[in-house]
Amino acid sequence: TLLPDHPARLLTAGRLNVDRLLVGTTNYEGFVRVMSPAPPSLDDRQLIDSLRLSNERIQQLYNASGKKTPKQIAADVEGDRSFVAGARYVARAVSKVGATAYEYQFSYVPEVLRTRLEAAPHSSDQHFTFNQIASAMLWGQRASAGDKAMAEAIHGYWIAFIKTGNPNGESR
């Protein structure tokens, strides 16, 4: 086996050799729930109710504009449960053992997709991280100058992190 125990247990016990971490999510991780061909294990109302919060608090947290449908709120809840909470947990666990953790939330939507998407779906940061936007199937060949500049910037943060241990390094 690669690891002698579950990574979470190793991290919290200080037995995983990590001195720095860069972890992030997108601002529409719940897109996975919306686009999945498989039916969710909980319907929208059950998922929202599973938070055990008052409707008023749910509206404050997930629908401040008052414009979201229960389906959109459920997608946001699913994104937080499935991706955001895990990223934050790992960042906190790394910090507790004395390592440095950097978190980010990617929210950039390519210009050509802005009429169809209001936020960045799950894993949409990958083309930017690796500066490979031309390989994005739905929009890469129509990338704007702004999209290309964003890819250069995001890629630069990752390169700085790899080289220096700090995404803000190298005079960023």
Side-chain angles (χ1 to χ4, degrees):
T1 62
L2 183 60
L3 295 174
D5 200 350
H6 190 280
R9 284 191 287 275
L10 293 171
L11 254 177
T12 55
R15 295 178 35 221
L16 196 58
N17 187 16
V18 176
D19 65 346
R20 60 188 65 96
L21 171 77
L22 177 58
V23 63
T25 57
T26 66
N27 67 338
Y28 191 25
E29 293 288 357
F31 187 74
V32 171
R33 179 183 176 89
V34 174
M35 295 306 294
S36 175
S41 58
L42 298 174
D43 69 30
D44 296 340
R45 187 76 251 160
Q46 290 171 321
L47 180 60
I48 293 167
D49 290 346
S50 74
L51 294 176
R52 297 184 182 163
L53 298 172
S54 69
N55 189 54
E56 179 182 3
R57 185 67 178 137
I58 290 168
Q59 294 301 314
Q60 288 172 340
L61 293 171
Y62 290 99
N63 194 17
S65 69
K67 297 177 182 176
K68 290 186 178 180
T69 66
K71 184 173 195 66
Q72 290 168 317
I73 295 169
D76 289 344
V77 169
E78 183 72 31
D80 282 355
R81 286 176 49 159
S82 298
F83 300 100
V84 177
R88 289 183 178 164
Y89 170 83
V90 170
R92 279 193 302 272
V94 165
S95 294
K96 283 182 181 177
V97 297
T100 302
Y102 297 94
E103 292 181 74
Y104 70 88
Q105 184 181 65
F106 184 81
S107 59
Y108 186 82
V109 176
E111 290 181 23
V112 72
L113 298 179
R114 291 181 187 166
T115 59
R116 298 187 332 197
L117 291 172
E118 295 180 16
H122 171 71
S123 78
S124 61
D125 55 331
Q126 290 180 4
H127 295 290
F128 293 87
T129 298
F130 297 104
N131 198 9
Q132 294 294 316
I133 59 175
S135 66
M137 286 186 352
L138 298 177
W139 61 272
Q141 298 306 315
R142 298 176 287 158
S144 70
D147 299 336
K148 292 173 185 175
M150 180 59 73
E152 287 286 332
I154 298 300
H155 184 69
Y157 284 109
W158 278 92
I159 294 300
F161 178 74
I162 292 164
K163 287 181 176 180
T164 70
N166 182 342
N168 303 304
E170 296 188 330
S171 303
R172 295 195 76 64

